[in-house]
Amino acid sequence: MTDEGNPSADAGVLITFEGGEGAGKTTHIRFLAKALEELGYSVLMLREPGGTELGEALRTLVLDPSLAPVSPRCEMLIYEAARAQLVDEVIRPALEAGKIVLCDRFTDSTEAYQGFGRGIDRGQIQSANLFAADGLVPDATLLLRCEGAAEGLVRATHHGTADRLEQAGIDFHQRVQLGFDQMRQESGGRIRLVDTSGPKSLTAAQVFSALADVIPALADPRTFDEDYFAVLDVRSHG
Ligand code: TMP
């Protein structure tokens, strides 16, 4: 692997996407990845928990409704275990190779879900996050927010059976949402809010402009004009 793929980055960039259930993260990560590749960057898309063979196995375990009840500490440690593997096996080497890593959820999810949601002390979670992520902190984090936890949950569970976290109840998911908001305010600008209540094209445009300080080419209006984003609103593109 070389740095040749990246026009400007000499070290990699880690961008994470956060939010409640059904906020549309996957669509926007894929769309951004495609744009970055068109710009000549070398991009890696990952999800948490997951992204490694062990991480995907841990994901299946932690989300399996048949294994409830799960101790909140056990739940937190499974997420951290999957993260440690992902950082060592995939993220760290990719950043060292100069890639742009787009990660669907990362350390902030643990603080929001296991901290604000389950009630584990935030300080302890922050320490565990640093340990599992080996000190890595995202260059930027986009917080995608839909109208409310309830709508998001409905959307996320629309096509199938709810996983164990989706079944955790509306109060839990409202605490998570409020947690993300508080964390954003405390993040010193790292966490940027993206409102997903409008058309997908509008959300994508917000995603691009929210990252302009990290990847300036995303703010070029000649490349990324209305037509560029409009494709997202065509029904067949989901
Ligand atoms: P998702 O990737 O499809 O959103 O599913 C992952 C689920 O796991 C989601 O409900 C959020 C939850 N989660 C945590 O509770 N803590 C974590 O640290 C992470 C990464 C995810």
Side-chain angles (χ1 to χ4, degrees):
M1 273 186 288
T2 70
D3 291 358
E4 276 164 34
N6 280 359
S8 60
D10 44 15
V13 177
L14 175 61
I15 297 168
T16 60
F17 287 71
E18 299 282 4
E21 315 293 317
K25 289 184 274 86
T26 314
T27 303
H28 292 290
I29 290 173
R30 287 198 187 132
F31 191 72
L32 174 65
K34 190 169 149 280
L36 288 169
E37 277 164 0
E38 283 166 11
L39 287 170
Y41 290 97
S42 179
V43 182
L44 191 62
M45 278 187 287
L46 299 169
R47 71 169 178 181
E48 271 214 347
T52 65
E53 203 177 338
L54 177 58
E56 290 294 332
L58 290 170
R59 178 187 180 91
T60 304
L61 270 183
V62 80
L63 296 179
D64 185 350
S66 75
L67 296 177
V70 173
S71 141
R73 290 185 341 277
C74 173
E75 182 177 281
M76 181 192 95
L77 290 168
I78 294 175
Y79 284 114
E80 299 290 10
R83 176 166 305 134
Q85 187 67 26
L86 184 67
V87 166
D88 287 4
E89 190 181 320
V90 185
I91 297 182
R92 183 75 77 187
L95 293 176
E96 282 168 4
K99 296 193 182 203
I100 296 185
V101 178
L102 305 180
C103 199
D104 185 344
R105 300 194 180 282
F106 198 56
T107 43
D108 296 313
S109 272
T110 318
E111 205 171 326
Y113 281 82
Q114 281 66 54
F116 287 90
R118 298 290 191 213
I120 296 179
D121 177 74
R122 284 179 71 196
Q124 286 191 323
I125 294 189
Q126 286 164 0
S127 303
N129 277 345
L130 268 183
F131 180 69
D134 195 27
L136 269 186
V137 176
D139 295 283
T141 297
L142 300 185
L143 173 60
L144 269 57
R145 192 171 53 191
C146 51
E147 316 77 62
E151 291 85 0
L153 261 186
V154 169
R155 217 178 305 163
T157 56
H158 191 64
H159 298 293
T161 328
D163 67 38
R164 195 175 57 78
L165 269 286
E166 287 163 350
Q167 287 179 4
I170 193 70
D171 289 351
F172 173 84
H173 287 282
Q174 272 160 356
R175 285 197 300 278
V176 168
Q177 196 113 323
L178 290 173
F180 273 129
D181 280 339
Q182 185 175 328
M183 288 160 59
R184 176 180 62 84
Q185 284 162 24
E186 294 169 359
S187 76
R190 174 178 63 84
I191 304 180
R192 297 111 196 245
L193 183 65
V194 173
D195 173 19
T196 66
S197 45
K200 286 178 186 167
S201 57
L202 213 64
T203 303
Q206 284 182 71
V207 166
F208 281 44
S209 65
L211 294 173
D213 60 330
V214 184
I215 303 162
L218 287 175
D220 184 350
R222 289 162 305 175
T223 314
F224 302 113
D225 58 8
E226 260 179 48
D227 287 348
Y228 188 88
F229 296 111
V231 68
L232 274 170
D233 297 333
V234 177
R235 195 170 277 279
S236 62
H237 283 75

